[in-house]
Amino acid sequence: MPGRQLIMNFEVTPTSHTLEAYKARGGYETLAKALKMAPADITKEVTASGLLGHGGAAFPVGRKWGVMKPNPGEIHYLCANADEGEPGTFKDRWILEHAPHLLVESMLITSYALGVRHAFVYIRGEFDLPWRRIQAGIDDAYAAGYLGKPVFGSDFTLDIVVYRGAGSYVCGEASGLITSIEGRKPYPRNRPPRLTVRGLFQKPTVINNVESLANITGIIRMGAEEFRKVGTAKSPGTQLISISGHIAKPGVYEVEYGYPWAKFLDEDCGGVLHGAKLKCVVPGGISTKVLTRAEIEPLNLSHESVNPAGSGLGSGGMIVIAEGTCMVRLLQVLLRFYHHESCGQCTPCREGMGWMHRIIDRIVEGKGVPEDIERLYAISHANDGTTICGMGDAAGFATVGILNKYRDEFEYWIANGRSKMDGRLECLA
Amino acid sequence: MPRLTIDSREIEAKAGQTVMEAAREHGIFIPYFCWHPNLSVPGNCRICVVGVEDKGGEWVEIACNMPVAEGMVVFTASEKVKARRKATMEFITLNHPVDCGICDKAGECTLQDYHFEYNGERSVSRDAKLHATKHFDLSDRIVLDNERCIQCTRCVRFTREISKSNGLGMLSRGDHSIVRPSADGAFATDAYSDNVIDICPVGALLAKDFLHQARVWYLKATPSVCPGCERGCGVNLWHRREEWMLRSPRQAARNEGIDRVTPLDNPAVNGPWICNKARDIPKLLGRVRASGALFKGSPAPLEAAVLEARALIAEAKRPAAVVSSWASNEELQSFKSAVGTRFALVAKRDHEPQPGEVVQDELLIRADKNPNAAGVRAALGECAREVPKDADLVLVWGEGFDFRAVPPGAKIVFLNAFLAPENGHADVFLPISIQTERDGSYTNFAGVTSRFERCFAAPAGVLHAEALFPALVGHGRGA
Amino acid sequence: MRHLIPEFEKMKERYPAGFESSLVLPCLRRVQEDRGFVSDDDIVALCEYLGVPRIQVEEVLSYYTMLLRKPLGKVHLQACRNIACSMRGAEGVIEHLCKRLGVKPGETTPDGTFTVSTVECLGSCGTAPVVMVNEAYHENVTLAQLDRLIEAVVEERAVVNGVEERAGVVEERAVDKGI
């Protein structure tokens, strides 16, 4: 077990997701406690906990909440971001499938703190079991009287709608998400205005990742001080890491911040698949820059350890890449993805993603030229901080991260018309 | 009132303005494709970036969505900004076809201008440009070239926010995004559809009537007023410059025609928009003209006809004049001071709404399809609606008069610009000029007076009504 | 689409007042679940019911990958081709499916039974490679498993995540007037 567990702290059984099982674990008791607090005090507690967002940006949750003071008469919305489209990431799904009531209770507490009367769970359209579990959880919460009517003797009522997407990565971006809920094409929005000022249907809206919200119940139950005892000073608490790729035991692991990275890979996750050597790791979703085995050695899984190494824990979507994997083909898969998912609104991303995809396709076809590498750098740079949403930047970071460390493979393919590593993406026994 | 500095110039902005708006108000130019002063701000083209000073460094962001802040220091042309603009131009032109040689927009194309200003170099891409539909019939009036489209969404936003037809949308996503009309045909019946031609910054949306007719630098724009209804929208009438006039006799007639109509932004009347009827002014004014004077349908010498008209008027005991609502204020003044007091005055609506025409809406279109009813009222007061039954002479001025209303036995003097069967009913018929052949003004329904200017010389043998009326004063048929 | 309106009315109850526009996506999903795709008539009826402009529905339909204007095969095999799946054999899975069924990605078998598509990350990287078969995720999928699935559908026309039942429902409702 990679450290203390705050969320995955129960045995998963065929019924552990049910309301009965959740209540047996102390479920909805924290809601009763929260409703006796002043809403502003809940936000204070969350701020004091230092909880950082788990969607990828690691923005302090309390600070985001702090903009949206509950004003009677003002309409506020809360959205749980369950779009989970970042390649390599599949941990919010764990919460939806196995701890749906943790999310519901957390959304109740959060909505009470923020003056929200209507909340949404935006779930990606492809998810089937996770959707059925969270919808059933919400239906059971309605039947039990936690939702839809004043609860625990307070005058606070919450309605939650589960809104299913229909296939678009950009719906994981907060402003794309709410535009999707508005029933329109999910184009992300420029800021200002911040969404906490004008969001869903132009009303103040907080969008939090599912895992971020899942932490709220624990924080209010144990208090910020207790929460801070877990993890590190700069990275309090835990992170759900989804590990996949060339790893022996892929899956979702709850890691206490500060846990040694190499130990996590070698011991908790069984080491590289088939005992192969580690080439590099995508730490937290494909927009985080790859780190080599050597670079990972001295690091622990915390923001303050990984960020100075030139990368980030992001969404916790960790992809393990074994020696012998062709990084040119790997980048080709990523650029194909970004090209497919570009919404097409703004110039650098709309034109740039297609351009990069065509360049790498041409390199893989054997028709690359040396200046293609500089062009990939230039397009990445021209998407850094220049676009409406972070997808342009993400594609640029992914590209630059791989080019910086594996430029030789690209130069080889351009010079020789074939892969330096026989073009393989798999790790064979 | 926040004070900020743009390019070392301190300006005072209004609270709530964006840097783009504040800069424009003070005559500082920041380039833009997707931004438009009368539409929402999508911030998608990214060309309007400016640099903002911050802690010894500079961050770059789009100006169209940047609120002004007290003490802000903005650079519109720093090295960082220039580099960013160049990169943006590279992206915008990445898949843009080099159609300039066959594209009507050449010469007034924002993309051309910005390419030269902010990049000016060949494409750096080694990969073929993406293809899309080259000639899509957006409607009977507009052709769409999707390859040229830069996805600025101005046209889509126009139909959503101004004409409210919701006729256009951007379908699909990424670099497959494509402008298309909604399948219910809302765009085809949008009475303001042609405005998207003007606001398109490139040659993606083009008027079919004007397609490949002339290079824009062959033409000059003469300010005018649309006579289509009593709104009196400002228009620019485009016609051949002297030095570009067609030489061959076969084509010479085109030199005397209007090639196209675009809006003239008049904040007091129509802003930057006109309805589609204004676009059809060339057809409206280009109808066959009455070319010579007539005596009961037989050609007559012009001078003799004028004298005959003068005599008939002098002889009449109870003359009535049916006044044109297309008369300019200047013609009305001339009429009033020369012969106005002689006549019982009757007001006329020269044109009525046609079947299928929008009668009135909340945007620009007004039910009175004549440009100067208000001018008539201002000059001559409230006039009768019908010809007095005892009139013994009727002076009919302009179109739309039902000649059955002429009392039996009364004489008719008819002034008309256009060829019509009724011209032969008159005892004396005199051909007169149209608004493109003289300077003048109309007053719209709200009392706003707008000027129009002369584009062409009147055809030979055609009179200006303004000069005619003084000549109708006097007796006898001698000069 | 009109027979679904009672369901839509119930759906609306959970939404805040004035959220008609929001219902575009859930209604389209339900229409597609019912008919197998969204028809022109559905679009007209939906715009009327919700009071939204036609172009909004057309834009939404054209944008999302999961919304269809034409029906696909009865069994839609969507194989993830993103990074973790590619690293665990997705390319072989896609190649096998295409060869076995004689189609290219995006195509439907001539008898209308199977459609093979390649899709981006499904959020199941830990159990790669993953193929979505209609609504269900088939995780840790092997070529042998896929072969067995295909055989079961072809030979026994087995219920695949309720598709057989749904096919019957679609046929019945296609006859129903007033849609």
Side-chain angles (χ1 to χ4, degrees):
Chain A
M1 196 125 307
R4 285 168 283 189
Q5 310 280 283
L6 298 178
I7 293 183
M8 298 174 73
N9 55 358
F10 60 93
E11 194 198 330
V12 173
T13 70
T15 54
S16 51
H17 61 279
T18 61
L19 178 56
E20 297 71 48
Y22 184 66
K23 280 173 79 172
R25 299 196 291 269
Y28 292 101
E29 287 170 16
T30 315
L31 174 62
K33 174 183 177 188
L35 289 171
K36 297 200 183 75
M37 296 165 67
D41 288 339
I42 295 179
T43 302
K44 267 204 207 97
E45 200 71 17
V46 171
T47 307
S49 76
L51 176 69
L52 299 170
H54 288 291
F59 189 83
V61 174
R63 199 192 306 170
K64 188 188 281 187
W65 288 16
V67 181
M68 209 159 97
K69 306 183 191 332
N71 274 330
E74 206 172 79
I75 294 178
H76 292 168
Y77 294 117
L78 170 70
C79 299
N81 188 341
D83 194 62
E84 192 137 71
E86 185 64 41
T89 314
F90 47 99
K91 42 89 180 177
D92 293 327
R93 174 184 167 179
W94 190 96
I95 296 171
L96 295 168
E97 284 179 17
H98 302 299
H101 284 284
L102 177 60
L103 180 63
V104 175
E105 183 175 7
S106 295
M107 287 179 76
L108 276 157
I109 295 170
T110 305
S111 299
Y112 172 67
L114 299 176
V116 167
R117 173 72 187 77
H118 278 103
F120 295 83
V121 176
Y122 189 95
I123 185 168
R124 64 177 297 173
E126 296 89 342
F127 274 168
D128 182 45
L129 178 62
W131 166 64
R132 287 188 271 123
R133 288 275 174 97
I134 186 64
Q135 186 64 67
I138 286 171
D139 291 341
D140 289 347
Y142 267 97
Y146 298 117
L147 293 172
K149 52 164 84 98
V151 62
F152 286 135
S154 78
D155 55 9
F156 168 69
T157 308
L158 182 68
D159 274 299
I160 301 183
V161 168
V162 177
Y163 200 88
R164 299 185 80 187
S168 166
Y169 171 66
V170 135
C171 290
E173 200 279 341
S175 60
L177 186 154
I178 57 177
T179 309
S180 178
I181 294 180
E182 290 181 356
R184 301 187 284 126
K185 214 171 26 159
Y187 273 0
R189 307 178 189 185
N190 280 295
R191 306 342 183 242
R194 282 178 294 182
L195 302 180
T196 39
V197 173
R198 277 208 295 283
L200 181 61
F201 287 117
Q202 301 302 306
K203 302 283 188 266
T205 306
V206 160
I207 296 110
N208 279 138
N209 171 261
V210 162
E211 185 189 343
S212 310
L213 286 168
N215 273 284
I216 299 297
T217 300
I219 288 170
I220 299 301
R221 186 184 67 246
M222 70 177 90
E225 213 179 293
E226 273 306 303
F227 180 79
R228 290 208 77 116
K229 289 185 181 154
V230 180
T232 70
K234 291 216 175 91
S235 308
T238 63
Q239 177 152 354
L240 296 191
I241 293 198
S242 326
I243 189 161
S244 66
H246 300 150
I247 194 77
K249 299 202 288 187
V252 180
Y253 295 82
E254 184 171 11
V255 173
E256 183 174 348
Y257 280 120
Y259 195 80
W261 199 340
K263 184 171 178 202
F264 175 64
L265 292 175
D266 298 334
E267 294 177 25
D268 298 273
C269 301
V272 182
L273 191 62
H274 306 310
K277 277 214 180 42
L278 179 65
K279 179 167 186 169
C280 63
V281 174
V282 173
I286 57 173
S287 68
T288 53
K289 297 198 175 122
V290 293
L291 292 174
T292 62
R293 172 83 219 195
E295 289 171 317
I296 285 169
E297 232 13 270
L299 301 179
N300 64 66
L301 291 164
S302 69
H303 298 293
E304 65 270 23
S305 180
V306 178
N307 292 356
S311 188
L313 285 175
S315 64
M318 193 173 290
I319 305 174
V320 175
I321 298 163
E323 277 293 354
T325 305
C326 177
M327 298 307 282
V328 177
R329 289 254 285 126
L330 198 133
L331 182 60
Q332 184 187 33
V333 171
L334 300 187
L335 292 176
R336 180 177 63 193
F337 166 73
Y338 285 120
H339 182 200
H340 185 263
E341 297 299 335
S342 170
C343 76
Q345 232 192 139
C346 69
T347 308
C349 173
R350 179 184 68 244
E351 304 296 339
M353 298 302 110
W355 197 358
M356 290 208 283
H357 185 199
R358 286 189 285 281
I359 290 174
I360 195 133
D361 275 357
R362 186 163 44 74
I363 291 175
V364 168
E365 267 173 55
K367 302 200 185 98
V369 295
E371 73 185 30
D372 284 335
I373 297 177
E374 288 316 311
R375 184 55 52 201
L376 288 173
Y377 271 111
I379 297 169
S380 299
H381 179 69
N383 267 277
D384 185 353
T386 67
T387 48
I388 295 178
C389 83
M391 207 198 88
D393 312 62
F397 295 153
T399 304
V400 166
I402 290 173
L403 285 177
N404 276 350
K405 305 235 160 95
Y406 299 101
R407 187 182 180 123
D408 59 301
E409 290 189 38
F410 291 81
E411 286 171 342
Y412 185 95
W413 203 318
I414 289 169
N416 298 286
R418 64 178 192 282
S419 166
K420 196 173 182 183
M421 339 286 306
D422 78 28
R424 208 175 343 122
L425 285 172
E426 293 180 65
C427 172
L428 303 173
Chain B
M1 301 284 274
R3 295 202 72 89
L4 59 147
T5 306
I6 304 184
D7 295 339
S8 307
R9 197 179 126 194
E10 205 183 84
I11 63 163
E12 191 165 337
K14 299 193 183 70
Q17 274 188 326
T18 60
V19 170
M20 172 71 88
E21 290 167 332
R24 265 171 69 89
E25 217 170 75
H26 290 84
I28 300 167
F29 178 73
I30 299 174
Y32 53 89
F33 287 113
C34 69
W35 183 80
H36 188 285
N38 297 72
L39 298 172
S40 61
V41 176
N44 64 47
C45 73
R46 318 308 281 183
I47 196 74
C48 72
V49 289
V50 291
V52 180
E53 196 177 79
D54 180 51
K55 299 186 185 89
E58 180 189 347
W59 52 270
V60 179
E61 186 53 83
I62 53 177
C64 61
N65 194 51
M66 187 189 291
V68 294
E70 179 71 33
M72 218 176 189
V73 177
V74 177
F75 309 108
T76 68
S78 66
E79 289 313 307
K80 251 187 169 175
V81 169
K82 284 195 206 157
R84 184 77 70 80
R85 290 230 182 99
K86 183 167 178 185
T88 304
M89 289 310 300
E90 282 176 358
F91 283 131
I92 290 195
T93 54
L94 182 74
N95 290 306
H96 189 86
V98 189
D99 277 355
C100 302
I102 55 164
C103 176
D104 278 359
K105 203 77 176 181
E108 55 181 22
C109 174
T110 314
L111 191 65
Q112 271 186 339
D113 294 343
Y114 288 0
H115 173 74
F116 275 102
E117 187 65 36
Y118 303 116
N119 184 5
E121 290 174 20
R122 299 170 58 107
S123 172
V124 293
S125 170
R126 301 184 65 87
D127 299 284
K129 292 182 187 253
L130 292 178
H131 286 300
T133 319
K134 284 304 279 181
H135 186 116
F136 183 88
D137 279 320
L138 205 59
S139 72
D140 284 340
R141 307 173 64 90
I142 303 177
V143 63
L144 164 63
D145 184 320
N146 287 107
E147 287 188 354
R148 298 175 188 171
C149 174
I150 59 169
Q151 281 91 10
C152 72
T153 69
R154 275 179 164 200
C155 57
V156 172
R157 284 177 284 131
F158 175 82
T159 65
R160 204 184 292 156
E161 297 160 18
I162 306 294
S163 70
K164 302 205 166 66
S165 68
N166 289 300
L168 297 178
M170 185 73 78
L171 302 186
S172 192
R173 68 201 216 189
D175 55 8
H176 303 290
S177 294
I178 199 157
V179 170
R180 279 289 176 270
S182 66
D184 60 2
F187 189 70
T189 54
D190 183 335
Y192 298 89
S193 65
D194 291 20
N195 287 296
V196 302
I197 299 168
D198 309 315
I199 60 178
C200 179
V202 299
L205 291 165
L206 299 171
K208 285 186 179 178
D209 279 348
F210 185 58
L211 198 63
H212 300 150
Q213 293 305 305
R215 280 308 195 184
V216 297
W217 56 88
Y218 297 170
L219 312 174
K220 63 178 173 183
T222 297
S224 191
V225 181
C226 174
C229 79
E230 61 170 359
R231 176 76 61 177
C233 298
V235 291
N236 277 314
L237 304 178
W238 294 76
H239 52 105
R240 289 253 166 185
R241 293 177 183 276
E242 181 70 50
E243 62 270 30
W244 283 107
M245 285 196 169
L246 295 156
R247 304 265 182 256
S248 85
R250 247 185 329 115
Q251 294 181 300
R254 286 171 58 186
N255 295 329
E256 300 302 313
I258 295 164
D259 286 279
R260 68 170 185 177
V261 181
T262 58
L264 175 62
D265 190 334
N266 184 344
V269 178
N270 55 308
W273 318 120
I274 53 177
C275 79
N276 288 353
K277 189 174 178 182
R279 309 279 173 175
D280 295 335
I281 285 172
K283 291 201 192 77
L284 184 61
L285 299 181
R287 289 175 287 152
V288 181
R289 300 289 294 280
S291 54
L294 304 169
F295 287 149
K296 279 218 167 26
S298 301
L302 189 63
E303 262 186 54
V306 174
L307 292 172
E308 178 67 18
R310 182 177 79 176
L312 288 176
I313 291 167
E315 285 160 11
K317 297 197 178 53
R318 291 171 305 282
V322 184
V323 179
S324 174
S325 47
W326 282 54
S328 68
N329 293 330
E330 293 68 19
E331 289 174 325
L332 289 166
Q333 281 308 313
S334 171
F335 173 80
K336 179 177 172 177
S337 47
V339 295
T341 46
R342 281 283 288 138
F343 292 93
L345 299 173
V346 181
K348 163 167 62 72
R349 282 193 166 194
D350 296 35
H351 285 215
E352 295 287 356
Q354 295 300 299
E357 185 180 358
V358 173
V359 176
Q360 184 148 313
D361 66 21
E362 273 135 35
L363 196 49
L364 294 176
I365 299 173
R366 301 279 306 178
D368 183 351
K369 302 302 181 191
N370 304 282
N372 210 19
V376 171
R377 273 195 301 278
L380 307 175
E382 281 301 328
C383 303
R385 290 274 133 193
E386 279 168 23
V387 176
K389 297 253 181 332
D390 63 350
D392 62 348
L393 178 137
V394 185
L395 173 73
V396 180
W397 183 5
E399 300 181 284
F401 180 71
D402 185 348
F403 281 82
R404 291 172 300 182
V406 174
K411 299 282 187 201
I412 304 173
V413 175
F414 186 22
L415 314 180
N416 189 14
F418 298 100
L419 188 71
E422 295 77 36
N423 299 355
H425 293 180
D427 292 275
V428 180
F429 172 80
L430 296 167
I432 53 172
S433 64
I434 55 176
Q435 75 178 70
T436 47
E437 293 155 359
R438 46 189 156 80
D439 293 339
S441 64
Y442 296 135
T443 301
N444 81 353
F445 73 103
V448 178
T449 301
S450 303
R451 291 201 57 77
F452 54 84
E453 288 174 27
R454 182 178 169 281
C455 305
F456 314 111
V462 164
L463 298 164
H464 290 299
E466 208 175 328
L468 171 63
F469 294 127
L472 294 177
V473 178
H475 298 264
R477 287 164 177 76
Chain C
M1 180 220 92
R2 287 175 217 286
H3 62 283
L4 295 172
I5 288 182
E7 268 186 65
F8 295 165
E9 289 289 295
K10 265 204 81 76
M11 213 191 279
K12 223 198 265 186
E13 284 167 17
R14 285 251 180 111
Y15 283 75
F19 265 58
E20 277 72 26
S21 180
S22 281
L23 290 169
V24 167
L25 186 52
C27 289
L28 285 173
R29 284 195 61 121
R30 184 66 190 97
V31 165
Q32 181 166 307
E33 188 185 47
D34 186 65
R35 192 196 284 285
F37 65 103
V38 180
S39 74
D40 285 345
D41 289 339
D42 292 324
I43 298 174
V44 173
L46 190 62
C47 288
E48 204 183 287
Y49 170 64
L50 293 176
V52 297
R54 168 109 191 206
I55 196 66
Q56 178 180 338
V57 176
E58 290 185 19
E59 285 185 337
V60 164
L61 279 169
S62 71
Y63 182 92
Y64 290 106
T65 58
M66 292 177 75
L67 296 178
L68 308 169
R69 294 299 301 272
K70 285 194 289 248
L72 295 178
K74 295 223 166 62
V75 179
H76 188 190
L77 301 159
Q78 301 173 77
C80 172
R81 62 175 187 182
N82 208 301
I83 193 66
C85 284
S86 291
M87 290 164 72
R88 296 301 284 249
E91 292 181 334
V93 166
I94 294 166
E95 198 185 307
H96 181 81
L97 284 174
C98 288
K99 213 151 88 182
R100 175 75 204 264
L101 297 171
V103 294
K104 291 206 276 289
E107 290 179 355
T108 303
T109 55
D111 67 357
T113 308
F114 296 100
T115 302
V116 176
S117 304
T118 54
V119 294
E120 297 297 341
C121 182
L122 291 170
S124 196
C125 322
T127 51
V130 176
V131 176
M132 229 176 119
V133 182
N134 289 352
E135 316 286 297
Y137 277 31
H138 287 234
E139 303 173 44
N140 289 315
V141 86
T142 63
L143 302 187
Q145 278 173 0
L146 290 169
D147 282 340
R148 282 199 296 277
L149 177 88
I150 291 169
E151 277 148 26
V153 173
V154 167
E155 289 162 16
E156 299 158 59
R157 295 195 62 78
V159 174
V160 177
N161 196 39
V163 70
E164 194 61 26
E165 179 193 11
R166 193 171 297 114
V169 168
V170 168
E171 247 143 89
E172 190 188 353
R173 284 187 173 147
V175 174
D176 186 5
K177 306 229 180 339
I179 292 172

